[in-house]
């Protein structure tokens, strides 16, 4: 016998352990899955949550109970200690759905814990009392110690699990279900009952923004991204106003400080000003771009988190992975089944009331109670009453004929019915009112008719039920989390430049640890995760990860930060072949490489020489002058060569032949423009980020040196070089696009100095870049009311005067000529207009109307233009 699976008990006997571990482990795993970690699909509750709600219902009297008492009551049903119950109870209370809280229950935003259980109180919400409990439709079981009765599941008539969300870790599996919007769940349930397909998405108490493009119905394999709401308070101050799900202000600040310490972002300080509303202020180092910092916060801190949902529930006594739509459909149909059961119970109760009311009426009106005066035994009393009643009623068992005029009962008369009749007191018999009895029976019949109708139309009844829930409890539960799509942020594009790249061109060293001196030259700001591309005079190049100090080879001619997949940066070079002395020109990109590997750009032959090299960020092609040696036999010793004649090919290509004669010198003759076409720049209307991937709205095609023009709603404008990493808040802009020197800005503004509404039109005259220029007066009350760059703008304006509204239309181009940008303009009104808006081209009249300025009108007047162009006042 194999003794490896045997062990001795206390009596020295051998016990077989074969399979014991497997059985025990499966028992334990099943217990954790079914009794602790995973919610049941029917009521959406874990056992501890269900026991808490049941204990609160058992003692519910409308008043608050100390949480410590609730924990104690729940321990009668729950086999675990008070800590587990208390944590679950606080978690449920913070979700503000089933428990009405009083006192300090903690803060999900800051992560602050609740006060001690003896200090805080709670009770069931009216919503929970209405949708979670009904002892008549509840399936019961004995508690763990056999002393109490507890529900197997609560008869929930609402998708509580999807509204509150949950997560849990069991043995071998886990569950993570996102919370969804209360109103949207009810509307989706109604759509399911109408036979429509539905789709639901998460909604969090903390608000923020969520990208659900990969949600996958909350099933395994799906993913959502949640971002904090970050606002720019000014150029050096950001504020986080809403947090991602499960992130607290404490954990957020910790992640920001950690990213700053690693140099991923540049901040001066971070302050938590959270009170009722979340506000974490981030002060930037002066000169730091707030747009790039926002992207960096999303890339390197908990301002953006990724969540992988995993909707697992207990269904038919086993764990099952489902989509949230499948869970909602199950809950909706279960709600319908529960409502049907409740109606059937109610119908049965009404039938019993009608049955007894009818028997009572016959018993009293026909004085059957007199017939039992001479009876000598209880059996005789029962027999006499039964005999007399049947003279006036007929039961289904009697098989009555259609002409039988007796009252038709719904069921047979039982001994209990007769016993209840004998218990009627003489006082009640003497005051019996036949008219009221008939009214009562008629009301019962009408109510039964309605219940039967509802049962026949149970789906419509369920829809009406959900609508009542929505009307009664939906107020204040609107969606808090904005559903949007997030642009992927490349970490290398937004990481803060926490280092300075230096190059020793002679000795061949690069790195951010080199000291600035005569031999080490500063190249650019960089980050510690950047790659650096290095070209040498021997015609070779390599890409290396930046470090403190790295040797890359002597005689460096060019070094800079390298961006992977950069198809616009183009390198132009001229080299001579060491075999035959011929000179070639080539153009190429470096989009992908093997890091630390040397690549040869000239010929592999000995004696090959690099003669000319340029680095062109936008594919520019210059003209160079080629000087041949004096000893060459060529008649013409000097010639020009234009790089735009060469196609951009791979870095290993030979290039195009320039001359077969030896070359003495190659020099730049004329700077060139891009040959790869202007860069098409788009803006994503959701994120406000620029891109060249075709996402969003086209802003224009930008060629080398062309500028971007930004017209702000605060009365300023800006011209700047194209910066693809910049983010814009489109709500703050009137216009964003390519700068055109012929652009005319038409503006309607209120001048605080004069107290007048003015119109001005001007061209851009300032040339300083990256600086916002205000074209309004510096008075504190001066405001921009409207601005546009349309060539012939027509606006609709309105103003209030003596509680009456005046309206009109005006062609700004006809109202004033183009003047200087500092000019005040022409007066439009003595009052500040309340609204100015551009009239779309489709609404503009075919013929030019006659304009009337609002300062010429009287109170109560409005302007309307006839089709013949004449002005009519009314």
């Amino acid at each position: 016998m194999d003794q490896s699976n045997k062990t001795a008990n206390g009596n020295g006997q051998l016990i077989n352990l074969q399979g014991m571990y497997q059985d025990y482990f499966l028992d334990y795993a099943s217990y954790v899955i079914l009794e602790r970690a995973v919610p049941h699909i029917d009521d959406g509750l874990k056992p501890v949550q269900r026991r808490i709600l049941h204990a609160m219902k058992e003692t519910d009297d409308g008043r608050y109970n100390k949480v410590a008492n609730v924990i104690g009551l729940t321990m009668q049903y729950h086999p675990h200690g008070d800590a587990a119950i208390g944590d679950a109870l606080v978690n449920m209370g913070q979700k503000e759905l089933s428990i009405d809280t009083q006192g300090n229950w903690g803060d999900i935003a800051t992560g602050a814990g609740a006060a001690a259980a003896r200090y805080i109180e709670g009770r069931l919400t009216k919503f929970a009392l209405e949708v979670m409990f009904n002892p008549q439709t509840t399936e019961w079981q004995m508690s763990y110690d056999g002393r109490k009765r507890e529900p197997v599941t609560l008869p929930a008539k609402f998708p509580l699990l999807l509204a509150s969300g949950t997560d849990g870790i069991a043995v071998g599996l886990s569950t993570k279900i996102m919370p969804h919007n209360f109103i949207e769940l009810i509307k989706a349930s109604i759509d399911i009952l109408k036979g429509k397909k539905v789709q639901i998405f998460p909604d969090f108490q903390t608000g923020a923004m969520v990208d659900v493009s990969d949600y996958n119905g909350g099933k395994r394999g799906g993913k959502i991204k949640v971002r904090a709401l970050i606002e720019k308070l000014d150029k050096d101050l950001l504020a986080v106003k809403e947090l991602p799900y499960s992130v607290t202000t404490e954990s957020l600040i910790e992640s920001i400080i950690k990213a700053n310490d690693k140099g991923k972002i540049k901040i001066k300080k971070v302050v938590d000003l959270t009170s009722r509303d979340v506000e974490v202020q981030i002060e930037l180092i002066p000169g730091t771009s707030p747009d790039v910092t926002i992207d960096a916060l999303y890339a390197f801190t908990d301002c953006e988190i990724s969540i992988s949902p995993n909707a697992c529930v207990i269904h038919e006594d086993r764990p099952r992975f489902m989509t949230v739509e499948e869970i909602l459909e199950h809950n909706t149909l279960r709600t319908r089944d529960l409502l049907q059961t409740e109606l059937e119970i109610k119908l049965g109760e009404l039938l019993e009331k009608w049955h007894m009311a009818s028997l009572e009426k016959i018993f009293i009106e026909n004085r059957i109670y007199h017939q039992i005066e001479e009876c000598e035994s209880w059996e005789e009393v029962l027999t006499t009453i039964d005999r007399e009643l049947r003279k006036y009623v007929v039961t289904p068992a009697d098989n009555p004929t259609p002409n039988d005029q007796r009252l038709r009962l719904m069921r047979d008369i039982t001994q209990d019915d007769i016993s209840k009749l004998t218990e009627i007191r003489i006082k009640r018999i003497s005051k019996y009112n036949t008219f009221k009895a008939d009214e009562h029976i008629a009301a019962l019949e009408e109510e039964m008719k309605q219940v039967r109708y509802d049962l026949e139309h149970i789906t419509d009844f369920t829809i009406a039920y959900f609508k009542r829930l929505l009307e009664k409890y939906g107020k204040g539960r609107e969606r808090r989390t904005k559903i949007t799509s997030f642009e992927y942020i490349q970490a290398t594009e937004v990481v803060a430049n926490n280092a300075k790249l230096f190059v020793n061109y002679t000795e061949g060293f690069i790195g951010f640890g080199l000291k600035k001196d005569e031999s080490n030259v500063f190249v650019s700001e960089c980050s510690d995760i950047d790659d650096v591309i290095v070209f040498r005079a021997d015609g070779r190049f390599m890409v290396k990860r930046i470090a403190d100090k790295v040797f890359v080879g002597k005689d460096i001619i060019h070094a800079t930060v390298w961006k992977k997949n950069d198809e616009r940066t183009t390198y132009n070079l001229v080299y001579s072949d060491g075999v035959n002395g011929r000179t070639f020109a080539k153009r190429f990109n470096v989009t992908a490489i093997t890091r630390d590997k040397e690549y040869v750009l000239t010929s592999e032959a000995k004696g090959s020489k690099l003669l000319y090299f340029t680095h062109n960020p936008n594919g520019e092609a210059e003209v160079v002058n080629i000087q041949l040696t004096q000893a060459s036999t060529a008649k013409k010793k000097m010639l020009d060569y234009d790089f735009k004649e060469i196609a951009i090919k791979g870095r290993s290509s030979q290039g195009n032949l320039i001359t077969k004669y030896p070359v003495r010198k190659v020099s730049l003759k004329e700077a060139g423009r891009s040959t790869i076409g202007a860069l098409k720049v788009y803006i994503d209307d959701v994120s406000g980020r620029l891109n060249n991937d075709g996402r969003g709205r086209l802003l224009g095609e930008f060629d080398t040196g062309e500028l971007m023009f930004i017209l702000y709603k605060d009365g300023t404008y800006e011209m700047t070089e194209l910066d693809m990493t910049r983010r814009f808040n489109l709500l703050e802009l009137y216009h964003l696009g390519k700068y055109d020197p012929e652009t005319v800005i038409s503006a309607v503004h209120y001048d605080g100095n004069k107290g007048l509404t003015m119109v001005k039109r001007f061209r851009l005259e300032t040339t300083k870049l990256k600086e916002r220029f205000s074209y309004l007066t510096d008075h504190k009350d001066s405001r921009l009311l409207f601005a546009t760059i349309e060539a012939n703008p027509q606006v609709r304006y309105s103003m209030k005067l003596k509680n009456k509204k005046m309206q009109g239309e005006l062609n700004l181009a006809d109202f004033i000529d183009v003047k200087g940008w500092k000019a005040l303009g022409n007066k439009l009104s003595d009052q500040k207009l309340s609204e100015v808006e551009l009239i779309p081209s489709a609404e503009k009249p075919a013929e030019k109307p006659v304009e009337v300025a609002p300062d010429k009108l009287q109170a109560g007047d409005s302007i309307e233009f006839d089709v013949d162009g004449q002005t009519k006042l009314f």
Side-chain angles (χ1 to χ4, degrees):
M1 179 182 293
D2 185 1
Q3 299 298 314
S4 61
N5 293 323
K6 302 276 187 176
T7 187
N9 63 10
N11 299 323
Q13 298 175 330
L14 292 178
I15 301 174
N16 194 339
L17 300 180
Q18 183 72 37
M20 185 177 291
Y21 172 81
Q22 181 180 5
D23 293 341
Y24 288 175
F25 180 80
L26 287 176
D27 290 343
Y28 171 72
S30 299
Y31 168 74
V32 173
I33 292 170
L34 297 175
E35 298 296 330
R36 292 180 65 179
V38 183
H40 199 287
I41 190 173
D42 285 349
D43 58 8
L45 299 171
K46 297 178 184 180
V48 63
Q49 296 171 329
R50 186 179 303 113
R51 288 160 180 157
I52 288 170
L53 294 178
H54 173 62
M56 295 182 76
K57 181 64 172 68
E58 289 290 285
T59 58
D60 178 63
D61 58 2
R63 296 182 296 174
Y64 288 99
N65 285 303
K66 290 284 186 181
V67 166
N69 290 338
V70 176
I71 293 173
L73 292 169
T74 306
M75 289 181 68
Q76 299 178 83
Y77 308 97
H78 198 62
H80 297 285
D82 56 344
I85 299 171
D87 291 344
L89 183 56
V90 169
N91 181 270
M92 293 172 69
Q94 289 177 341
K95 292 178 179 177
E96 302 174 347
L97 190 61
S98 56
I99 297 178
D100 181 12
T101 62
Q102 183 168 271
N104 178 16
W105 280 66
D107 191 338
I108 60 173
T110 63
R118 61 184 179 275
Y119 297 128
I120 57 178
E121 298 177 323
R123 63 183 177 187
L124 293 172
T125 62
K126 293 180 179 179
F127 171 76
L129 289 169
E130 180 170 343
V131 305
M132 298 300 296
F133 303 98
N134 187 338
Q136 292 178 305
T137 57
T138 301
E139 182 183 354
W140 301 92
Q141 64 183 4
M142 298 306 295
S143 63
Y144 72 98
D145 61 1
R147 288 189 174 94
K148 294 283 184 177
R149 191 179 68 157
E150 65 174 340
V152 176
T153 59
L154 293 176
K157 299 189 289 294
F158 179 80
L160 184 68
L161 174 60
L162 297 178
S164 58
T166 191
D167 60 84
I169 301 175
V171 179
L173 60 81
S174 65
T175 182
K176 194 174 190 68
I177 299 174
M178 299 294 101
H180 296 73
N181 182 261
F182 182 93
I183 296 173
E184 292 174 6
L185 286 174
I186 292 180
K187 291 182 177 179
S189 292
I190 292 172
D191 287 340
I192 288 173
L193 292 169
K194 292 180 178 179
K196 299 178 182 179
K197 287 188 176 182
V198 299
Q199 196 172 19
I200 55 175
F201 298 113
D203 183 33
F204 307 118
Q205 286 178 276
T206 51
M209 301 175 289
V210 62
D211 185 340
V212 296
S213 53
D214 296 324
Y215 186 42
N216 192 31
K219 206 172 182 180
R220 282 189 299 180
K223 182 177 66 174
I224 60 173
K225 293 179 182 179
V226 191
R227 280 185 180 177
L229 176 63
I230 304 178
E231 295 181 0
K232 285 191 291 185
L233 301 184
D234 58 43
K235 64 179 182 179
D236 294 326
L237 190 63
L238 304 176
V240 178
K241 294 296 186 71
E242 295 177 2
L243 298 173
Y245 178 63
S246 74
V247 173
T248 65
T249 54
E250 182 179 352
S251 64
L252 178 71
I253 292 173
E254 184 180 345
S255 71
I256 293 173
I257 294 174
K258 189 179 295 184
N260 182 68
D261 292 343
K262 292 182 178 179
K264 306 300 184 184
I265 58 177
K266 284 184 178 181
I267 64 170
K268 188 175 181 180
K269 65 179 179 180
V270 55
V271 182
D272 188 1
L273 299 179
T274 301
S275 54
R276 179 179 179 181
D277 298 319
V278 171
E279 183 167 356
V280 177
Q281 289 191 357
I282 304 168
E283 187 174 345
L284 308 182
I285 296 174
T288 304
S289 168
D291 299 309
V292 175
T293 303
I294 289 174
D295 283 346
L297 287 169
Y298 288 140
F300 300 113
T301 74
D302 286 347
C303 286
E304 178 182 319
I305 62 171
S306 179
I307 302 175
S308 298
N310 184 21
C312 179
V313 293
I314 301 300
H315 183 38
E316 297 178 351
D317 295 327
R318 57 177 294 179
R320 182 179 172 188
F321 296 94
M322 306 174 69
T323 66
V324 291
E325 287 81 13
E326 290 172 339
I327 294 174
L328 179 62
E329 182 177 4
H330 176 92
N331 291 154
T332 302
L333 299 181
R334 174 173 164 80
T335 298
R336 185 176 66 181
D337 292 342
L338 287 170
L339 290 173
Q340 181 173 344
T341 302
E342 289 179 357
L343 286 174
E344 290 170 348
I345 293 172
K346 183 178 181 181
L347 179 61
E349 292 173 346
L350 290 172
L351 285 171
E352 282 301 307
K353 290 179 181 179
W354 179 88
H355 181 83
M356 286 308 303
S358 299
L359 291 180
E360 183 179 289
K361 182 175 182 292
I362 293 171
F363 181 76
I364 295 174
E365 287 183 348
N366 294 284
R367 302 179 183 272
I368 294 177
Y369 50 85
H370 286 307
Q371 305 296 324
I372 61 175
E373 293 176 355
E374 304 297 328
C375 295
E376 297 181 358
S377 67
W378 176 246
E379 288 76 12
E380 188 177 355
V381 169
L382 296 177
T383 303
T384 301
I385 294 176
D386 181 69
R387 183 186 68 246
E388 295 300 319
L389 286 174
R390 293 185 183 277
K391 294 179 180 179
Y392 306 97
V393 300
V394 60
T395 65
D398 296 331
N399 293 321
T401 62
N403 297 326
D404 197 326
Q405 299 299 314
R406 290 177 294 174
L407 177 65
R408 295 173 182 267
L409 297 179
M410 303 296 179
R411 64 171 176 81
D412 200 4
I413 301 173
T414 65
Q415 185 172 320
D416 288 340
D417 297 335
I418 298 173
S419 297
K420 290 177 182 178
L421 293 176
T422 61
E423 295 171 0
I424 300 175
R425 295 186 178 185
I426 297 298
K427 184 177 181 181
R428 183 178 170 192
I429 294 175
S430 63
K431 292 185 176 182
Y432 188 78
N433 189 317
T434 301
F435 178 75
K436 288 185 177 180
D438 290 339
E439 277 190 337
H440 176 59
I441 292 173
L444 291 174
E445 290 174 346
E446 189 62 31
E447 196 171 353
M448 285 190 290
K449 180 180 178 182
Q450 181 62 46
V451 172
R452 288 192 180 99
Y453 177 85
D454 292 338
L455 283 169
E456 292 173 1
H457 302 82
I458 188 61
T459 298
D460 293 336
F461 181 79
T462 309
I463 291 173
Y465 168 81
F466 277 120
K467 288 181 178 179
R468 285 195 300 272
L469 286 183
L470 184 59
E471 182 180 354
K472 193 172 181 180
Y473 303 105
K475 187 177 180 181
R477 298 185 183 274
E478 292 77 15
R479 169 167 285 277
R480 301 180 185 180
T481 303
K482 181 181 179 182
I483 297 176
T484 183
S485 59
F486 298 159
E487 182 183 25
Y488 174 71
I489 299 175
Q490 187 72 29
T492 55
E493 292 181 359
V494 299
V495 63
N497 290 330
N498 58 340
K500 297 180 183 294
L501 174 62
F502 289 91
V503 178
N504 187 317
Y505 287 94
T506 305
E507 298 298 325
F509 287 97
I510 63 169
F512 50 77
L514 301 177
K515 295 182 179 180
K516 185 176 182 180
D517 54 27
E518 294 181 357
S519 58
N520 300 325
V521 180
F522 171 71
V523 175
S524 67
E525 300 282 346
C526 64
S527 73
D528 55 7
I529 66 171
D530 280 335
D531 290 315
V532 179
I533 188 168
V534 179
F535 293 85
R536 300 197 304 258
D538 61 2
R540 297 170 182 267
F541 84 93
M542 63 172 16
V543 174
K544 294 188 77 71
R545 176 73 76 187
I546 195 170
D548 187 67
K549 184 179 180 181
V550 181
F551 179 75
V552 293
K554 294 185 177 182
D555 298 326
I556 299 171
I557 59 173
H558 176 73
T560 190
V561 175
W562 177 71
K563 303 298 182 184
K564 188 177 181 181
N565 298 322
D566 182 2
E567 297 181 348
R568 297 196 70 84
T569 300
T570 306
Y571 304 95
N572 301 341
L573 65 82
V574 178
Y575 74 94
S576 62
D577 191 336
V579 175
N580 48 34
R582 293 183 175 187
T583 300
F584 295 86
K586 63 191 291 186
R587 304 180 72 204
F588 62 94
N589 305 123
V590 181
T591 56
I593 46 82
T594 300
R595 193 181 286 119
D596 300 329
K597 177 182 177 181
E598 283 194 346
Y599 294 89
V600 179
L601 297 173
T602 62
S603 172
E604 295 277 5
K606 186 177 181 181
S608 297
K609 185 178 180 181
L610 182 64
L611 302 175
Y612 177 86
F613 174 88
T614 57
H615 159 260
N616 305 281
N618 200 34
E620 292 85 354
E622 67 272 29
V623 178
V624 295
N625 179 259
I626 312 291
Q627 297 181 28
L628 305 182
T629 61
Q630 292 297 326
S632 70
T633 59
K635 293 180 181 180
K636 196 174 181 181
K637 298 291 193 292
M638 187 178 295
L639 59 100
D640 293 338
Y641 191 83
D642 193 343
F643 271 100
K644 73 179 181 181
E645 303 298 330
I646 309 175
I648 300 173
K649 297 182 180 179
R651 58 177 178 264
S652 60
S653 64
Q654 183 182 33
N656 290 17
L657 177 66
I658 298 178
T659 178
K660 63 181 179 179
Y661 300 105
V663 173
R664 182 174 68 89
K665 181 181 180 182
V666 181
S667 58
L668 176 66
K669 180 179 181 180
E670 181 183 324
R673 294 179 66 82
S674 175
T675 60
I676 58 177
L679 180 66
K680 288 186 176 181
V681 178
Y682 298 80
I683 186 164
D684 189 323
D685 289 325
V686 176
S687 66
R689 281 182 54 85
L690 303 179
N691 69 87
N692 57 358
D693 303 326
R695 287 180 286 103
R697 177 166 43 89
L698 178 66
L699 296 181
E701 299 184 7
F702 289 76
D703 210 333
T704 304
E706 291 186 324
L707 303 176
M708 178 171 281
F709 167 60
I710 311 162
L711 183 61
Y712 294 93
K713 291 184 177 180
D714 64 355
T716 62
Y717 69 85
E718 176 186 358
M719 289 185 294
T720 180
E721 296 171 342
L722 180 63
D723 182 1
M724 297 297 291
T725 64
R726 189 167 177 180
R727 179 194 293 273
F728 296 92
N729 184 350
L730 299 183
L731 297 177
E732 298 176 353
L733 308 181
Y734 273 123
H735 175 75
L736 175 66
K738 190 166 70 172
Y739 166 64
D740 180 357
E742 297 302 317
T743 295
V744 175
I745 299 176
S746 302
V748 180
H749 66 100
Y750 178 75
D751 179 42
N753 289 318
K754 295 182 177 294
L756 304 174
T757 297
M758 312 292 291
V759 178
K760 64 188 295 184
R761 302 183 73 235
F762 61 94
R763 288 189 177 89
L764 304 176
E765 301 173 10
T766 55
T767 57
K768 192 172 182 179
L769 302 182
K770 296 184 179 180
E771 184 173 327
R772 289 170 68 164
F773 292 90
S774 175
Y775 49 91
L776 306 180
T777 58
D778 57 2
H779 192 277
K780 65 180 180 65
D781 293 330
S782 295
R783 294 288 185 275
L784 178 66
L785 304 178
F786 172 79
T788 182
I789 64 165
E790 277 206 10
N792 190 35
Q794 186 166 321
V795 298
R796 181 180 294 114
Y797 55 81
S798 61
M799 61 182 293
K800 289 184 178 180
L801 189 62
K802 294 182 180 179
N803 296 324
K804 293 194 176 181
K805 186 175 181 180
M806 297 194 306
Q807 295 178 325
E809 296 179 2
L810 184 67
N811 188 301
L812 301 183
D814 293 339
F815 186 76
I816 185 173
D817 295 329
V818 177
K819 301 180 180 180
W821 71 282
K822 291 185 178 180
L824 192 60
N826 290 359
K827 183 180 76 169
L828 176 61
S829 173
D830 293 328
Q831 306 291 329
K832 184 177 179 180
L833 302 184
S834 59
E835 185 177 358
V836 183
E837 62 179 357
L838 184 70
I839 300 176
S841 300
E843 295 183 21
K844 292 178 182 178
E847 298 185 23
K848 178 182 170 184
V850 178
E851 297 87 12
V852 177
D855 61 331
K856 304 298 183 182
L857 300 180
Q858 297 181 0
D861 288 346
S862 231
I863 303 175
E864 182 182 87
F865 296 104
D866 294 331
V867 293
D868 60 358
Q870 298 300 311
T871 304
K872 179 175 65 176
L873 301 183
F874 61 95

